Amino acid sequence: MSVPIKNPEDIAKMRIACRLAAEVLEMIGEHVRPGITTKALDDICHDHIVNRQQAIPAPLNYKGFPKSICTSLNQVICHGIPNEDKVLKDGDILNIDITVIKDGYHGDTSKMFFVGKPKPPAERLVRITQECLYKGIEVVRPGARLGDIGHVIQQHAESSHYSVVREYCGHGIGKGFHEEPQVMHYGKAGSGMELKEGMIFTIEPMINQGKRHNKVLPDGWTVVTKDRKLSAQWEHTVLVTAKGHEILTLRGEESL
Ligand code: MF3
Ligand code: CO
Ligand code: CO
């Protein structure tokens, strides 16, 4: 079990792939409104990635995944499949997860969108989940441990009376979509592998309004909360630098 350390050429190429992934999220925002289908969002992203960015949508045909992006609506935790029957309605919350491959390297990022006017409980879940991501990122530096990331995320989620999904985690990323290490979103401070300059991985907490338990629908992909309460997720790809970290998928709207 070895964690790749990226060289300067890898890092330069990862910066490019990650910026493209972030740009897809910036581009799609204005299209997320009541009445559009998740299939239409997939079509727009696919076209943008393939024709404008001249990149590859990594999910398409990945282990048989049939579409170019993941669209996870309301009680869907992750890996929702865009569908022409899924019409967005006022008050929905939607995660769009984008992974592009450019020049052989992967950039992976996701954000939550409100469809129309959000309801206060949904707004709180989405906000606290984003805070979980930022708190996880904040502790990333050489010498910190993977458990430090999981610990601060779990602490913030559970003290807000939410739960952390355990079956899915962040991951190393580079030429491979899912590389070592696995980045848990729960854990003990001071435990786990030590972070080293040049590692690149995602942090992508999935936080549930109710209990953490989940199941995969018969389509083999869509992961939903067992209690059918809401779930939220935010994801960034992060580089460990000498001084701390660099968020490779940072969007213009984020002030960090
Ligand atoms: N982008 C997801 C992640 O963050 C993985 C999606 S795999 C797919 O790791 F096949 F569902 F697209
Ligand atoms: Co990921
Ligand atoms: Co992702």
Side-chain angles (χ1 to χ4, degrees), residues 54-66:
Q54 288 166 325
I56 298 165
L60 189 59
N61 302 321
Y62 176 76
K63 297 186 179 173
F65 191 81

Side-chain angles (χ1 to χ4, degrees), residues 97-99 108-109 204 235:
D97 192 338
I98 303 292
T99 312
D108 188 7
T109 185
E204 47 182 298
E235 174 176 26

Side-chain angles (χ1 to χ4, degrees), residues 59 70 79 95-99 107-110 171 173 177-178 202 204 233 235:
C70 296
H79 303 166
N95 175 277
I96 299 182
D97 192 338
I98 303 292
T99 312
D108 188 7
T109 185
S110 80
H171 49 93
I173 183 166
F177 194 162
H178 296 104
T202 72
E204 47 182 298
Q233 179 179 30
E235 174 176 26

